[in-house]
Structures are given as C-alpha cells and as structure tokens.
Amino acid sequence: QLQLQESGPGLVKPSETLSLTCTVSGGSISSSSYYWGWIRQPPGKGLEWIGSIYYSGSTYYNPSLKSRVTISVDTSKNQFSLKLSSVTAADTAVYYCARQGITMVQADYWGQGTLVTVSS
Amino acid sequence: QSALTQPASVSGSPGQSITISCTGTSSDVGGYNYVSWYQQHPGKAPKLMIYDVSNRPSGVSNRFSGSKSGNTASLTISGLQAEDEADYYCSSYTSSSTLYVVFGGGTKLTVL
C-alpha cells in the first residue's frame, strides 16, 4: 500500500523559506505513470494546487506561486520536496503531498497533511 | 486564476439523491475530459471519488457518479448516507495561463 508522509517545520517566520519533504513508501517515486504534487489548504478554505514534479525532474508550477516555489525530487531517497520563499501569513495552510496521474488532475494517494503556520 | 464554481452548500435526506455542480470554461471543464471529484471529511486528507469525469477508483461506492455537459461537470450521490456528509471539491485540467490544475471552491454536503 502506497503511503506518503509530509515532514518539516510547523512554524515559519515571515519572509523566511518554508521547506517540506514528502517521503513515499510502498512504491517507487520513479514510476513513469505518475507525477508527485503539492497541494495546500488555508484554514477553513479550499484546495490550491502548488505544483508537481516528474521523477525525471520536470516541474510544473501554479503561476500565482511560481516566482517563490521550487519543487525537487530525490529518487535515491524516494522523496520529493517543496520550498516556498518569502512567506507571509497568507501562506499559512495545511500542506499535502500527493501522487497524481499523468494529467496531474487526479490525485489518488495523499499524505495526511501538515499544518504550517507563518508567524513571528 | 479563477477557481471552478461550485455551490457553497447542498443538503439532502438519507436515501435521497443530490447533485453538486462544477462550472468552468472551455479552457478547463469544457475543453477536456479530465475532471476529478474529491471528498474531504473534517481534519482529513481529500479522497479521490471520481476521475476523468465519470470513472470511479477501485473501492469507491457506485452510489457516486460523475458526468459533464458543456462547461459544467456534476457529481451525483444516490442513496445518501450519513457518512457522505463532507466537503466535496472538483478539479480540472486547464490550459489557462500555464496553470495545469484548478480546483473548485468546495461544496459542503449536509445529510439532514
């Protein structure tokens, strides 16, 4: 059974960089059939796609966040990571990692999510 | 970017059927058969219920069905059960401004 687990600091100061890692177990991140993505959800609000990565390293980002986002993959560790720079309170959210199909629309496996609060 | 448009809330009694709409444009819902629906219970991660407009992943009840007409996709839940009470989100592929994935604002389903 595929499992995804987010890890990283739960509190980040304004203007600093948010860094999260998603560890994939029970399957290989190097599968050619999937993308690996980050989706966030501010408290009490809806879902927002942040970006996705293919095992080869090809990346796709939400244009509204593109200037601040970097997603990378480490196939040797079966992990992929998110960096979001210059964070503000508006970046406070539950951050999910997920396995996505080839169109990136269907996400069939999700991590449990991790709340990241931006506050001084 | 504009999210897909969903009703904020819908409700129904146990055993009834309800439909949740998801309206987009010809650049997303209307242009591609890549619409997914997610169920999210409070404090939990979203769960994929429908993909590619009308396909159910293994293990999802056949009480859940999806369809599309023009720029509007729909999720129908038949034989409502108390456990169906949750938030539901639609998602679509989009060719708008290099944004590949767009979500709807979400619909709160209340089972009366």
PDB file of all heavy atoms in Angstrom, chain A residues 83-95:
ATOM      1  N   LYS A  83       9.911  23.942  -1.533  1.00  0.00           N
ATOM      2  CA  LYS A  83      10.432  25.164  -0.913  1.00  0.00           C
ATOM      3  C   LYS A  83       9.596  26.325  -1.396  1.00  0.00           C
ATOM      4  O   LYS A  83       9.377  26.484  -2.600  1.00  0.00           O
ATOM      5  CB  LYS A  83      11.910  25.387  -1.250  1.00  0.00           C
ATOM      6  CG  LYS A  83      12.838  24.370  -0.602  1.00  0.00           C
ATOM      7  CD  LYS A  83      14.290  24.743  -0.818  1.00  0.00           C
ATOM      8  CE  LYS A  83      15.228  23.665  -0.286  1.00  0.00           C
ATOM      9  NZ  LYS A  83      15.085  23.455   1.176  1.00  0.00           N
ATOM     10  N   LEU A  84       9.122  27.125  -0.434  1.00  0.00           N
ATOM     11  CA  LEU A  84       8.329  28.317  -0.726  1.00  0.00           C
ATOM     12  C   LEU A  84       8.996  29.489  -0.016  1.00  0.00           C
ATOM     13  O   LEU A  84       9.044  29.518   1.223  1.00  0.00           O
ATOM     14  CB  LEU A  84       6.885  28.134  -0.260  1.00  0.00           C
ATOM     15  CG  LEU A  84       5.925  29.295  -0.512  1.00  0.00           C
ATOM     16  CD1 LEU A  84       5.716  29.486  -2.013  1.00  0.00           C
ATOM     17  CD2 LEU A  84       4.587  29.045   0.176  1.00  0.00           C
ATOM     18  N   SER A  85       9.488  30.421  -0.788  1.00  0.00           N
ATOM     19  CA  SER A  85      10.270  31.511  -0.208  1.00  0.00           C
ATOM     20  C   SER A  85       9.402  32.723   0.119  1.00  0.00           C
ATOM     21  O   SER A  85       8.250  32.831  -0.317  1.00  0.00           O
ATOM     22  CB  SER A  85      11.375  31.925  -1.188  1.00  0.00           C
ATOM     23  OG  SER A  85      10.811  32.446  -2.376  1.00  0.00           O
ATOM     24  N   SER A  86       9.974  33.622   0.897  1.00  0.00           N
ATOM     25  CA  SER A  86       9.339  34.909   1.237  1.00  0.00           C
ATOM     26  C   SER A  86       7.901  34.733   1.712  1.00  0.00           C
ATOM     27  O   SER A  86       6.984  35.377   1.213  1.00  0.00           O
ATOM     28  CB  SER A  86       9.383  35.843   0.013  1.00  0.00           C
ATOM     29  OG  SER A  86      10.684  36.016  -0.459  1.00  0.00           O
ATOM     30  N   VAL A  87       7.716  33.845   2.662  1.00  0.00           N
ATOM     31  CA  VAL A  87       6.358  33.525   3.106  1.00  0.00           C
ATOM     32  C   VAL A  87       5.740  34.670   3.913  1.00  0.00           C
ATOM     33  O   VAL A  87       6.436  35.468   4.547  1.00  0.00           O
ATOM     34  CB  VAL A  87       6.323  32.229   3.928  1.00  0.00           C
ATOM     35  CG1 VAL A  87       6.766  31.042   3.066  1.00  0.00           C
ATOM     36  CG2 VAL A  87       7.163  32.342   5.188  1.00  0.00           C
ATOM     37  N   THR A  88       4.422  34.736   3.850  1.00  0.00           N
ATOM     38  CA  THR A  88       3.633  35.669   4.648  1.00  0.00           C
ATOM     39  C   THR A  88       2.538  34.880   5.349  1.00  0.00           C
ATOM     40  O   THR A  88       2.387  33.673   5.142  1.00  0.00           O
ATOM     41  CB  THR A  88       3.000  36.753   3.773  1.00  0.00           C
ATOM     42  OG1 THR A  88       1.981  36.154   2.966  1.00  0.00           O
ATOM     43  CG2 THR A  88       4.029  37.435   2.879  1.00  0.00           C
ATOM     44  N   ALA A  89       1.744  35.578   6.145  1.00  0.00           N
ATOM     45  CA  ALA A  89       0.653  34.913   6.857  1.00  0.00           C
ATOM     46  C   ALA A  89      -0.303  34.226   5.887  1.00  0.00           C
ATOM     47  O   ALA A  89      -0.950  33.225   6.240  1.00  0.00           O
ATOM     48  CB  ALA A  89      -0.092  35.924   7.710  1.00  0.00           C
ATOM     49  N   ALA A  90      -0.401  34.741   4.681  1.00  0.00           N
ATOM     50  CA  ALA A  90      -1.301  34.150   3.682  1.00  0.00           C
ATOM     51  C   ALA A  90      -0.862  32.753   3.248  1.00  0.00           C
ATOM     52  O   ALA A  90      -1.630  32.024   2.622  1.00  0.00           O
ATOM     53  CB  ALA A  90      -1.393  35.054   2.454  1.00  0.00           C
ATOM     54  N   ASP A  91       0.359  32.383   3.570  1.00  0.00           N
ATOM     55  CA  ASP A  91       0.860  31.047   3.234  1.00  0.00           C
ATOM     56  C   ASP A  91       0.579  30.032   4.348  1.00  0.00           C
ATOM     57  O   ASP A  91       0.912  28.853   4.201  1.00  0.00           O
ATOM     58  CB  ASP A  91       2.361  31.101   2.954  1.00  0.00           C
ATOM     59  CG  ASP A  91       2.694  31.919   1.705  1.00  0.00           C
ATOM     60  OD1 ASP A  91       2.060  31.676   0.660  1.00  0.00           O
ATOM     61  OD2 ASP A  91       3.561  32.810   1.805  1.00  0.00           O
ATOM     62  N   THR A  92      -0.031  30.485   5.436  1.00  0.00           N
ATOM     63  CA  THR A  92      -0.429  29.561   6.494  1.00  0.00           C
ATOM     64  C   THR A  92      -1.486  28.607   5.947  1.00  0.00           C
ATOM     65  O   THR A  92      -2.522  29.036   5.439  1.00  0.00           O
ATOM     66  CB  THR A  92      -0.997  30.317   7.702  1.00  0.00           C
ATOM     67  OG1 THR A  92       0.047  31.082   8.307  1.00  0.00           O
ATOM     68  CG2 THR A  92      -1.591  29.359   8.733  1.00  0.00           C
ATOM     69  N   ALA A  93      -1.223  27.315   6.051  1.00  0.00           N
ATOM     70  CA  ALA A  93      -2.112  26.328   5.440  1.00  0.00           C
ATOM     71  C   ALA A  93      -1.711  24.917   5.861  1.00  0.00           C
ATOM     72  O   ALA A  93      -0.616  24.709   6.389  1.00  0.00           O
ATOM     73  CB  ALA A  93      -2.065  26.429   3.918  1.00  0.00           C
ATOM     74  N   VAL A  94      -2.596  23.991   5.602  1.00  0.00           N
ATOM     75  CA  VAL A  94      -2.230  22.575   5.641  1.00  0.00           C
ATOM     76  C   VAL A  94      -1.647  22.245   4.276  1.00  0.00           C
ATOM     77  O   VAL A  94      -2.282  22.518   3.250  1.00  0.00           O
ATOM     78  CB  VAL A  94      -3.429  21.672   5.953  1.00  0.00           C
ATOM     79  CG1 VAL A  94      -3.026  20.202   5.864  1.00  0.00           C
ATOM     80  CG2 VAL A  94      -3.994  21.974   7.338  1.00  0.00           C
ATOM     81  N   TYR A  95      -0.462  21.691   4.281  1.00  0.00           N
ATOM     82  CA  TYR A  95       0.212  21.334   3.040  1.00  0.00           C
ATOM     83  C   TYR A  95       0.152  19.821   2.867  1.00  0.00           C
ATOM     84  O   TYR A  95       0.549  19.068   3.767  1.00  0.00           O
ATOM     85  CB  TYR A  95       1.664  21.820   3.062  1.00  0.00           C
ATOM     86  CG  TYR A  95       1.772  23.310   2.869  1.00  0.00           C
ATOM     87  CD1 TYR A  95       1.462  24.193   3.897  1.00  0.00           C
ATOM     88  CD2 TYR A  95       2.162  23.852   1.644  1.00  0.00           C
ATOM     89  CE1 TYR A  95       1.537  25.567   3.720  1.00  0.00           C
ATOM     90  CE2 TYR A  95       2.241  25.220   1.451  1.00  0.00           C
ATOM     91  CZ  TYR A  95       1.918  26.071   2.494  1.00  0.00           C
ATOM     92  OH  TYR A  95       1.989  27.428   2.302  1.00  0.00           O
TER      93      TYR A  95
END
